[in-house]
Amino acid sequence: MKQVAINQPKKQPGRFILYGLLIFAGLVSLFPFYWMFVMATQPNHVINQTPPALLPGAELVTNFTNVLGTIDFFGAMMNSLIVSVAVTAGSLFLCSLAGFAFAKLKFKGRDVLFVLILITMMIPPQLGLIPTYYIISQLGWLSDLKAIIVPGLINAFGIFWMRQYIKEAVPDELIEAARIDGCSIFRVYWNIVTPAILPAFATLGIIVFMNVWNDFLWPLVVLQDQSSHTLQVALRALSDSYNRDYGMILSGTFWATVPLIIVFLLFNKAFISSLTQGAVKS
Amino acid sequence: MVSNSEKYTEKKARRSLSEEKRHSIAGYLFVSPFFILFAIFGLFPMLFSFYLAFFKWNGLGEMTYNGINNFTIIFNDPIFWKSIYNTVIIGLLGTVPQLIVAFLLAYALNSQVLRFKNTFRVAIFMPYVTSIVAVAILFSIIFNNQSFGLVNSFLGIFGVEPIVFTQSEWGAKIAIAAMIFWRWVGYNTIIYLAGMQSISNDLYEAAKIDGATLTQQLRYITLPMLKPFVLFTVFMGTIGSLQIFTEPLIFFGGNLREEGITVVAYLYRDAFENNFFGTASAVAIVLFVIIMVFSVINLLVTNRLGRGKARKA
């Protein structure tokens, strides 16, 4: 080992505490997922018994069939997917374009405009909630996925982040050379800047996608028709249904969680580093 | 801009005027989508909220000027004060233990002798990836009022009578704080871990040569160097706590009881269940002011602590 051990426990008890703590924390973190699966496979009468079941039952298919009978699960998942992909793609494009302008183009008032964007980051989203709802209803966008997608494209953090990245990742000389060769400014962005910032797209993309996928308050307010519900709003409707069929409810949350977990396990390194990068840099 | 060759300088001089113009046009064009969208969906709603806070409006009929009455109404509503109290208590219960535990876990994960580091890291981080709605539903069933609820049946082993979590002053808060704790502890652990890994090993090495004990290393190296990260998590935790909404809404199943109503839940109920858009806007303004006060305090503290020290974050 090249590195010097930092907090190396000298005796076995130290190591025992270390592993004990982490194993306990790991179990506490994972147990709710396991229990969600257990409940998703149990009939209701088993769930309502004391003590509760801790091993899976045989009702996996039945419970999920009941979910499909209560809410349009796949429709809601499709809505979530459309909204998240659209917002991610759109805001990556707009943020990188604006980030490029702030990092590399010279124009009057550039720095003032950039500071204005930073200031907007401090406004809590709830402040404009009611008027934004009113605007959306006037536009006739209630229960329309546009109500989530269009306002979702504003992303001050994304612009800030792209500007920092483009400043470091794209040398001025490269842009000048391309301009001399007759590239239009948009072509410089498209052919030179975007290939150079693919890692930034990946990290910001994960952050944006997760935020949109998990957003609840705004979709709850504007998506009123059941057919327009995103997964989060549909899950809420599921748990509010009058018969409290816990097996069915947790089957819904379980199958809504599985895709996220699979994606996370496949890309956990990129996931963790993007979320910490986004956090620590801001 | 630095030019490399004479030929290049010449060329640049010839087209410099038009180049400047092009930069300007492209620059304004590229940043305009943000400002156009922000004007419609950010600035206008924000200003309109300030305006609306002084009017009586149900969202459909006429707006009637109401002066500062909306503020008088909410300030005289005990439930509003209860919502502020709840928000603060739930925030403290959910955040303070969480940050302490996250620090301990990060310290353990940073140990050089540890095996299966990535497995632990992934396990602890996983709750963050799930949606808040799923977490809130799951925990509302874990904290079920009946004796068959997971927490109640565990307490039953020790002879504790089933707690009616949704109707108990502390039960409701603890259940909601538990959701927040479980979902966020891994995230903050990773932030602290990133901070610890950015501390140079030389510092520890030097301290060891000077005979510093583990506690001394922790106190004089790890904690001070981690300060920017701690401040970041405290700041995010505070702002996040002030905006708690999903957990109580799901936990109470639409019947937001005063044991667990938060400020944003109060706002939501006023606006979208009772159609009191004026008072709801007044709530939004009060929330905005509280968040601004916390942000400014945080900025001042950060600046003071960061002065003269090499910032890591």
Side-chain angles (χ1 to χ4, degrees):
Chain A
M1 286 268 256
K2 276 178 286 171
Q3 284 184 321
V4 175
I6 295 175
N7 42 358
Q8 183 168 23
K10 287 176 193 88
K11 294 164 214 149
Q12 284 305 317
R15 193 176 290 214
F16 183 76
I17 293 170
L18 186 71
Y19 280 100
L21 177 72
L22 288 171
I23 288 170
F24 179 72
L27 287 180
V28 171
S29 298
L30 297 181
F31 178 77
F33 291 108
Y34 169 75
W35 197 68
M36 191 154 69
F37 171 69
V38 170
M39 293 291 104
T41 60
Q42 292 287 3
N44 223 17
H45 67 87
V46 176
I47 295 168
N48 294 355
Q49 76 191 11
T50 321
L54 291 174
L55 290 173
E59 302 293 311
L60 185 68
V61 177
T62 319
N63 281 335
F64 191 62
T65 315
N66 289 340
V67 170
L68 296 183
T70 315
I71 57 167
D72 181 9
F73 185 86
F74 291 110
M77 196 171 245
M78 199 60 207
N79 286 339
S80 280
L81 206 61
I82 292 170
V83 163
S84 306
V85 168
V87 173
T88 308
S91 67
L92 285 186
F93 173 65
L94 292 182
C95 288
S96 57
L97 205 57
F100 166 57
F102 282 122
K104 299 292 179 188
L105 300 180
K106 285 192 175 141
F107 53 96
K108 234 187 200 161
R110 182 183 74 173
D111 298 340
V112 178
L113 291 177
F114 185 65
V115 170
L116 279 179
I117 289 185
L118 293 187
I119 290 173
T120 66
M121 281 166 70
M122 293 181 68
I123 303 164
Q126 291 88 1
L127 180 60
L129 184 69
I130 294 159
T132 316
Y133 167 77
Y134 182 68
I135 293 170
I136 292 294
S137 76
Q138 288 301 303
L139 288 171
W141 288 0
L142 289 181
S143 298
D144 188 325
L145 296 182
K146 278 197 290 261
I148 315 286
I149 297 169
V150 179
L153 296 175
I154 320 172
N155 187 340
F157 168 72
I159 294 179
F160 165 75
W161 208 72
M162 280 297 181
R163 173 186 176 261
Q164 303 300 97
Y165 199 92
I166 291 169
K167 253 193 157 158
E168 285 171 29
V170 187
D172 287 344
E173 289 79 5
L174 202 61
I175 293 172
E176 274 166 32
R179 289 292 292 149
I180 286 163
D181 288 347
C183 263
S184 71
I185 294 183
F186 186 79
R187 276 205 50 197
V188 171
Y189 161 76
W190 192 251
N191 290 348
I192 293 172
V193 176
T194 53
I197 59 169
L198 289 180
F201 278 128
T203 34
L204 187 63
I206 289 175
I207 296 172
V208 173
F209 192 93
M210 272 214 36
N211 284 343
V212 182
W213 184 274
N214 285 334
D215 194 15
F216 177 64
L217 175 56
W218 180 241
L220 177 71
V221 167
V222 288
L223 300 181
Q224 295 167 348
D225 283 355
Q226 220 195 344
S227 63
S228 68
H229 282 181
T230 56
L231 203 50
Q232 311 308 327
V233 182
L235 285 182
R236 195 253 173 156
L238 186 70
S239 87
D240 268 3
S241 58
Y242 281 104
N243 65 331
R244 299 287 284 169
D245 182 346
Y246 293 121
M248 189 253 303
I249 295 168
L250 285 179
S251 173
T253 58
F254 176 75
W255 290 111
T257 308
V258 166
L260 280 177
I261 293 181
I262 292 173
V263 174
F264 170 62
L265 291 179
L266 285 177
F267 303 105
N268 79 71
K269 272 219 171 102
F271 237 100
I272 292 177
S273 71
S274 72
L275 288 165
T276 50
Q277 254 183 333
V280 175
K281 274 195 180 165
S282 65
Chain B
M1 273 183 216
V2 189
S3 52
N4 292 329
S5 63
E6 266 176 52
K7 194 179 156 200
Y8 171 65
T9 322
E10 223 174 86
K11 241 186 178 176
K12 195 185 163 196
R14 229 185 298 142
R15 51 184 283 180
S16 84
L17 194 90
S18 69
E19 182 72 9
E20 234 169 68
K21 234 183 195 163
R22 275 160 212 255
H23 266 228
S24 293
I25 294 167
Y28 293 128
L29 216 57
F30 290 178
V31 302
S32 59
F34 175 88
F35 286 99
I36 293 168
L37 284 174
F38 181 74
I40 303 169
F41 296 108
L43 186 65
F44 175 71
M46 191 176 86
L47 298 176
F48 198 66
S49 281
F50 281 100
Y51 177 79
L52 202 52
F54 298 96
F55 283 81
K56 203 171 173 176
W57 191 40
N58 65 5
L60 292 170
E62 255 178 55
M63 285 185 217
T64 43
Y65 182 70
N66 206 13
I68 58 160
N69 273 339
N70 289 334
F71 290 93
T72 320
I73 291 169
I74 59 167
F75 288 148
N76 281 324
D77 182 3
I79 305 289
F80 173 71
W81 291 108
K82 192 73 204 282
S83 77
I84 291 195
Y85 170 78
N86 288 346
T87 306
V88 172
I89 297 291
I90 292 170
L92 288 174
L93 281 178
T95 313
V96 176
Q98 182 203 117
L99 295 183
I100 296 170
V101 171
F103 182 86
L104 291 175
L105 291 176
Y107 194 69
L109 278 174
N110 198 33
S111 163
Q112 297 294 320
V113 294
L114 187 71
R115 284 154 166 265
F116 312 112
K117 209 171 279 190
N118 199 43
T119 311
F120 284 126
R121 209 169 67 133
V122 166
I124 293 169
F125 191 74
M126 210 147 101
Y128 179 74
V129 180
T130 57
S131 81
I132 310 183
V133 177
V135 172
I137 291 173
L138 175 66
F139 274 66
S140 65
I141 295 174
I142 289 178
F143 284 92
N144 191 293
N145 293 338
Q146 309 295 317
S147 62
F148 64 79
L150 202 59
V151 173
N152 271 331
S153 59
F154 176 74
L155 292 174
I157 300 172
F158 305 100
V160 180
E161 287 292 303
I163 296 169
V164 184
F165 283 102
T166 51
Q167 287 168 39
S168 127
E169 177 70 29
W170 285 96
K173 292 185 180 60
I174 289 171
I176 295 170
M179 303 176 198
I180 296 164
F181 181 96
W182 183 75
R183 190 168 124 86
W184 284 92
V185 72
Y187 175 81
N188 286 310
T189 304
I190 300 295
I191 299 279
Y192 288 158
L193 183 62
M196 287 176 189
Q197 283 170 349
S198 74
I199 302 173
S200 157
N201 257 321
D202 301 349
L203 283 173
Y204 290 104
E205 228 173 308
K208 263 189 194 162
I209 292 167
D210 291 344
T213 63
L214 268 183
T215 332
Q216 282 170 327
Q217 287 176 29
L218 190 65
R219 188 166 159 202
Y220 295 108
I221 299 173
T222 315
L223 277 175
M225 297 293 284
L226 214 58
K227 213 169 244 167
F229 293 86
V230 175
L231 285 172
F232 171 79
T233 55
V234 168
F235 181 61
M236 295 307 282
T238 315
I239 303 296
S241 300
L242 290 170
Q243 303 180 356
I244 295 168
F245 166 72
T246 310
E247 293 88 347
L249 189 78
I250 303 277
F251 186 65
F252 292 103
N255 176 26
L256 282 160
R257 294 178 53 96
E258 62 175 288
E259 286 87 357
I261 192 168
T262 56
V263 179
V264 179
Y266 182 94
L267 189 165
Y268 172 82
R269 195 181 65 169
D270 242 17
F272 300 106
E273 284 176 9
N274 303 332
N275 290 336
F276 299 152
F277 279 29
T279 51
S281 295
V283 176
I285 303 233
V286 174
L287 179 70
F288 172 69
V289 170
I290 298 174
I291 289 182
M292 282 300 121
V293 168
F294 273 108
S295 304
V296 169
I297 292 174
N298 177 75
L299 274 178
L300 292 177
V301 173
T302 314
N303 277 344
R304 176 158 302 177
L305 290 173
R307 205 172 288 155
K309 224 181 271 173
R311 291 288 309 281
K312 284 275 169 190

